[in-house]
Amino acid sequence: MAGTEPDRLVVVSYRLPFHVEDGVLKQNSGGLVSAMLSYAKGNPESNASESSPRRILWLGISEDTEEALAKADRSEEQTLFDLVPILLPEEIQQKFYEGLCNNLIWPLFHYFSYLAEFSPEDYEAYRKANQLVCDIVCKHLQPGDRLWIHDYHFLLLPKLVRGNFRDLSIGFFLHIPFPSYEIFRLLPRTWGRELVLGMLGADLVGFHIYDYVQHFTQCAIRMVGAQAVGSWLSTEEGSSRLEAFPIGIDAQAFAEDRFLPEVELAIRGILEAIGDRLLVFSVDRLDYTKGLLPRLLAVEKFFTKYPQWKNQMVFNMVVVPSRDTIPSYHEMKLELEAHVGRINGLMGSLDWRPIVYQYRHLSRAEMIALYNISDVALITPLRDGMNLVAKEYVASQPPENPGVLVLSEMAGTSAELREALIINPNDSDEIVEALRTALEMGDEERHSVWSKLRDRVHSYDVFAWASDFLHSLSSAAEVGRGRRVTPLVDREIGIIQARYLTATKRVILLDYDGTLVPFHRDPEKAVPSPQVHELLSRLCGDAKNEIAIISGRDRSFLDRWFADLPLNLVAEHGASQRLAGQKWENVWNENDDWKKPFRRAMESVVRRCPGSFIEEKRTSLVWHFRNSDPIYGLRSAQELMEDLENNLSEPGEFRILDGNHIVEVRPGEIDKGSAALRLFGQLNQSFILAIGDDRTDEDLFSVMPRDAFAVKVGKGTTRARYHLRDPGEVVRLLEYLVSPQQGPWMS
Ligand code: GDG
């Protein structure tokens, strides 16, 4: 890592958005680079920190060398970019890009699962490519940088970079849809888990629309056991915020550029060709997601059903060349062209072709002219992450005579452009009727619909989008840093061990389930291993130690496994306690009548939520849903919590807790913190270590003095300062304390 340069943005996208042509740096068309350019220039109307120019380092695949890019002539604003081309080894590039990106992720995420190819070699190449890109990115990162990673080529990258830079602000944005769990689960389990965890390496994960946020959340809950609270997802590794940022366009530029001379020239050309007929258009890359053939057949159906429109309307279908050396794309193109020929042959006349088909890339002026002059845009993809053409069409319309947008409900942008004529692209009759409505729409309605669409396209343009994302990233990264699991590492273990060794009196407070012993589907089978038993015995054998197990379990369970050890035991979160070598005593002595209404509420949830069950303890009732469907379990837990709350008469009399796959209700005066204070008074021993994994342990952490070591096991927010990943690490830590001669901890 080189010297510090404050407030630099580092962007990684598959392609570098610049290339060198005759020694001059040329900017590729695309909203992202324009947005970044405007961000780099700074907004003169903003506060000081946002008004000054900022540098952007951009890394991506390129055919130009770093030297050629650096030497190329640049405009003044382009000098704000530092460009790093990435060149992957040929054997990886092919399998990574053509293989995993284009033959698996693209079709699968667009719901074309029958086209998805699940090749382990391609996945391995994808892993390697992400690792190689990570190595290059890490070499260029500097303290204070913010990193913004784009799209499905780099789903693993956020986590890989996070492994090297714990506190870096990392944002990730997905430009294509994130599919529902039913589609995503088709991926081999290890791949799916890796991809989700890869994305969750970012502080902020952005999608176009809220549907995709929900789909991702469900996948993360089901596949990696993430916990969702509001817009945050937590795993053992940390927390990420998920949000929808519907990408915008440079609406102002589209509105103004229609007056450029080259655009006016192109408009005149189109007008001459179509005469006084109405013009309907579409522009897409050649791709099966775009619904090209169904659209064409719907237009044919339109002319058949409404022959009065023959010779009155022209459909200009522009298909932009893409991947047509691949046989399936080439076949798609031939099939499309065969139908264009057939329809024109069948319906056309000497002076009218119903379909004007173009297979080529248009210049920007031609695009804007086409947008400007078309009466209807027929945007009917079968699936699309967002679809910028729809927004560009809206922004380019002449206010005096705006056109009509017919839009597929399968395009992300339909969630925003709600006033458009929304169609289902598989329903040819609906397309036919929408086309007719659009062509016949009266002036007043056209103006009213368009002005609403225009307002939306202008108010959340690409600059608002980028600045919204980057602002959100700053706040998410700040919160994320606070929440990130701080695994104990050598240095901290060293400090704990040194304090342990020099202390004259030590207290060690241990939770049981999820802390000393991993969870089991059947709680009765979650029993301590001989290693744990022997370890506890060694800890108790040291006269300086006072060891307590403070658990939610009942007395008989704790007696069964620990009666032979000189341990302090606390059962049912503090309702009973047994001091080492003494008898059990009850802290709570009421009868069971209070449980009745709570039990009734729980029984009703058990009937509805398969796999869940009620555990009755002397001083609490617990509803478990570890063995239920995780999403339905969570929903049922929320409903149960509300139901239980409704049974409370006095505040504080009972506590309702949502723990690790449980909902528990118990008397308000019983908690693990009070139990610890009852056992050990003011907790002023020279060494105190408290370890626990769930919400009930937070009560324990909350009574810990400042110099105590509070350790949270697993994911989730906590008051504890330290984290361990799982019970295995807890045992390792305790072994470490009793055997000081061991080698390094984790490095
Ligand atoms: C991904 C997602 C999401 C197209 N043909 C020509 C041309 N274009 C320009 C358009 C528009 C862009 O390309 C295509 O817009 P998309 O929305 O399809 O964007 P992609 O980058 O292909 O796709 C998509 C997008 O990312 C943004 O997040 O909306 O869902 O798949 O800007 O104007 N431009 C010129 N000539 C053409 O022939 N000059």
Side-chain angles (χ1 to χ4, degrees):
M1 267 182 12
T4 309
E5 188 179 353
D7 207 17
R8 189 176 67 152
L9 182 66
V10 179
V11 178
V12 184
S13 65
Y14 178 68
R15 269 185 217 293
L16 212 52
F18 295 94
H19 64 277
V20 182
E21 223 175 273
D22 302 328
V24 178
L25 194 66
K26 294 273 182 192
Q27 187 176 316
N28 304 346
S29 60
L32 185 60
V33 64
S34 323
M36 291 300 101
L37 199 62
S38 115
Y39 169 82
K41 280 190 284 188
N43 180 354
E45 283 160 29
S46 294
N47 58 37
S49 71
E50 288 182 5
S51 61
S52 49
R54 285 165 283 209
R55 297 205 68 77
I56 294 188
L57 175 71
W58 201 311
L59 300 97
I61 305 275
S62 166
E63 270 129 41
D64 298 309
T65 62
E66 189 160 1
E67 203 189 4
L69 287 161
K71 269 203 201 145
D73 288 342
R74 297 172 173 226
S75 65
E76 196 185 328
E77 49 191 33
Q78 286 175 341
T79 58
L80 292 167
F81 286 90
D82 296 310
L83 304 172
V84 177
I86 293 175
L87 192 62
L88 295 173
E90 187 49 43
E91 69 281 8
I92 292 181
Q93 170 66 27
Q94 169 75 14
K95 290 193 166 81
F96 155 64
Y97 183 63
E98 293 301 337
L100 204 91
C101 292
N102 287 340
N103 292 338
L104 176 60
I105 301 184
W106 179 268
L108 196 66
F109 281 34
H110 285 87
Y111 293 74
F112 284 80
S113 52
Y114 63 95
L115 295 178
E117 290 174 19
F118 300 90
S119 151
E121 293 86 60
D122 289 352
Y123 188 70
E124 203 39 48
Y126 185 81
R127 271 197 190 128
K128 283 190 185 139
N130 273 257
Q131 184 59 60
L132 287 171
V133 172
C134 171
D135 296 343
I136 298 170
V137 172
C138 288
K139 247 190 261 159
H140 287 84
L141 284 171
Q142 300 173 349
D145 280 347
R146 288 181 296 164
L147 177 62
W148 190 358
I149 300 168
H150 289 267
D151 229 359
Y152 62 99
H153 316 89
F154 300 127
L155 299 178
L156 300 175
L157 193 55
K159 180 173 172 191
L160 291 173
V161 177
R162 173 71 68 217
N164 294 288
F165 294 94
R166 243 189 107 261
D167 288 332
L168 185 74
S169 301
I170 305 178
F172 177 83
F173 189 83
L174 186 68
H175 289 261
I176 64 172
F178 195 91
S180 83
Y181 173 66
E182 285 306 321
I183 291 287
F184 193 77
R185 72 190 298 191
L186 298 175
L187 286 170
R189 207 181 308 280
T190 46
W191 304 5
R193 285 174 55 85
E194 265 181 22
L195 297 177
V196 168
L197 286 172
M199 292 166 76
L200 287 175
D203 297 291
L204 177 65
V205 184
F207 302 88
H208 283 309
I209 59 172
Y210 185 59
D211 277 0
Y212 309 158
V213 173
Q214 281 179 308
H215 294 160
F216 180 79
T217 304
Q218 293 221 345
C219 290
I221 292 173
R222 288 184 188 280
M223 298 182 82
V224 303
Q227 284 180 2
V229 179
S231 54
W232 289 85
L233 272 185
S234 304
T235 66
E236 276 86 358
E237 328 261 326
S239 296
S240 309
R241 184 145 82 206
L242 311 185
E243 268 181 60
F245 302 91
I247 195 170
I249 56 164
D250 185 351
Q252 197 58 32
F254 280 95
E256 284 165 5
D257 288 356
R258 64 199 179 89
F259 300 111
L260 294 173
E262 59 271 31
V263 173
E264 285 180 345
L265 188 69
I267 289 178
R268 277 202 294 280
I270 299 173
L271 279 176
E272 263 168 43
I274 60 165
D276 53 5
R277 298 178 187 97
L278 295 192
L279 183 62
V280 177
F281 90 100
S282 68
V283 179
D284 317 79
R285 242 176 357 89
L286 178 69
D287 197 276
Y288 48 83
T289 60
K290 301 294 182 183
L292 298 169
L293 189 55
R295 183 187 310 153
L296 186 64
L297 297 179
V299 172
E300 179 187 11
K301 204 170 188 179
F302 171 81
F303 284 122
T304 309
K305 189 166 179 194
Y306 298 111
Q308 64 274 31
W309 276 100
K310 284 188 178 171
N311 209 6
Q312 303 300 310
M313 182 270 268
V314 170
F315 176 42
N316 185 186
M317 184 177 223
V318 180
V319 178
V320 181
S322 170
R323 306 181 73 201
D324 54 7
T325 51
I326 295 175
S328 61
Y329 280 70
H330 186 65
E331 279 161 29
M332 189 174 18
K333 174 174 177 277
L334 292 183
E335 193 184 5
L336 192 68
E337 289 171 354
H339 281 281
V340 169
R342 183 183 58 75
I343 297 167
N344 280 342
L346 195 71
M347 299 188 172
S349 58
L350 206 55
D351 62 343
W352 174 66
R353 267 180 306 158
I355 316 293
V356 174
Y357 168 81
Q358 286 162 290
Y359 184 70
R360 67 180 180 94
H361 184 270
L362 303 184
S363 69
R364 183 175 157 84
E366 286 176 308
M367 281 287 277
I368 296 177
L370 185 60
Y371 288 155
N372 200 258
I373 205 69
S374 293
D375 300 282
V376 179
L378 200 52
I379 314 286
T380 62
L382 300 176
R383 192 67 66 169
D384 212 332
M386 173 54 64
N387 194 301
L388 298 178
V389 168
K391 293 189 173 186
E392 292 168 3
Y393 175 69
V394 168
S396 306
Q397 288 312 289
E400 64 286 359
N401 185 26
V404 182
L405 174 63
V406 176
L407 181 60
S408 163
E409 66 175 79
M410 308 298 174
T413 192
S414 69
E416 273 184 289
L417 303 182
R418 292 173 170 277
E419 292 80 10
L421 292 176
I422 305 287
I423 54 92
N424 178 331
N426 302 306
D427 185 344
S428 57
D429 291 326
E430 200 175 27
I431 300 178
V432 167
E433 290 315 313
L435 188 49
R436 180 176 169 221
T437 309
L439 290 167
E440 295 178 358
M441 194 180 281
D443 260 13
E444 201 177 316
E445 192 180 350
R446 263 191 302 125
H447 277 94
S448 143
V449 168
W450 173 71
S451 64
K452 288 184 195 123
L453 296 174
R454 180 206 49 199
D455 289 351
R456 171 67 202 175
V457 168
H458 277 267
S459 66
Y460 200 77
D461 62 8
V462 71
F463 311 115
W465 170 80
S467 112
D468 200 14
F469 185 92
L470 290 169
H471 270 113
S472 240
L473 173 59
S474 301
S475 68
E478 204 177 310
V479 177
R481 271 190 281 277
R483 288 186 180 183
R484 194 154 304 127
V485 172
T486 318
L488 283 168
V489 291
D490 276 334
R491 200 176 66 82
E492 283 120 14
I493 295 287
I495 295 170
I496 297 178
Q497 197 179 47
R499 285 266 306 280
Y500 179 86
L501 292 174
T502 52
T504 48
K505 199 75 204 151
R506 313 163 184 138
V507 163
I508 299 180
L509 304 157
L510 300 166
D511 167 50
Y512 178 74
D513 289 286
T515 298
L516 274 180
V517 170
F519 287 104
H520 194 285
R521 287 171 74 85
D522 176 359
E524 283 305 305
K525 295 206 171 116
V527 298
S529 63
Q531 186 199 3
V532 166
H533 198 271
E534 190 267 335
L535 174 63
L536 289 170
S537 164
R538 265 191 291 154
L539 279 165
C540 296
D542 187 330
K544 292 177 186 165
N545 291 349
E546 282 276 15
I547 314 292
I549 292 183
I550 304 187
S551 166
R553 294 276 185 159
D554 63 19
R555 294 170 175 200
S556 66
F557 182 91
L558 295 180
D559 264 346
R560 201 172 331 138
W561 297 102
F562 301 114
D564 58 324
L565 293 176
L567 279 168
N568 301 284
L569 296 175
V570 172
E572 301 191 17
H573 301 108
S576 311
Q577 64 181 39
R578 196 205 74 172
L579 296 179
Q582 296 183 22
K583 286 204 161 76
W584 281 100
E585 49 182 316
N586 285 342
V587 175
W588 166 265
N589 270 319
E590 302 288 321
N591 70 29
D592 274 357
D593 286 353
W594 65 271
K595 290 180 184 164
K596 279 186 194 151
F598 298 118
R599 189 185 298 111
R600 261 199 304 277
M602 288 186 179
E603 280 166 353
S604 128
V605 190
V606 167
R607 278 193 292 276
R608 279 180 285 124
C609 184
S612 72
F613 62 92
I614 302 169
E615 182 189 8
E616 176 149 1
K617 301 182 185 177
R618 203 172 57 81
T619 50
S620 74
L621 279 177
V622 191
W623 177 71
H624 291 258
F625 66 98
R626 178 169 304 282
N627 305 336
S628 307
D629 177 281
I631 304 281
Y632 189 56
L634 276 175
R635 217 189 82 183
S636 306
Q638 277 161 4
E639 280 172 15
L640 176 62
M641 301 266 293
E642 275 173 33
D643 239 16
L644 296 174
E645 304 270 357
N646 290 339
N647 282 303
L648 297 181
S649 44
E650 272 175 56
E653 191 184 1
F654 296 100
R655 285 182 73 183
I656 295 165
L657 295 150
D658 57 335
N660 195 331
H661 294 92
I662 59 150
V663 172
E664 174 158 18
V665 54
R666 59 181 151 86
E669 63 203 70
I670 294 177
D671 69 66
K672 290 186 175 181
S674 318
L677 294 174
R678 246 190 326 271
L679 280 182
F680 301 113
Q682 290 314 302
L683 289 169
N684 52 8
Q685 293 74 2
S686 48
F687 175 90
I688 301 171
L689 173 65
I691 315 181
D693 74 302
D694 78 9
R695 287 279 289 277
T696 63
D697 299 303
E698 295 300 314
D699 294 328
L700 181 61
F701 299 149
S702 71
V703 300
M704 288 297 117
R706 280 177 63 85
D707 61 347
F709 297 103
V711 183
K712 157 101 175 166
V713 184
K715 60 196 160 225
T717 50
T718 180
R719 287 170 201 260
R721 213 165 104 216
Y722 302 103
H723 280 85
L724 288 172
R725 281 172 204 274
D726 51 37
E729 285 199 353
V730 175
V731 171
R732 232 177 117 206
L733 170 65
L734 296 174
E735 290 276 9
Y736 225 77
L737 296 181
V738 292
S739 325
Q741 68 284 4
Q742 289 190 19
W745 169 257
M746 280 185 188
S747 50

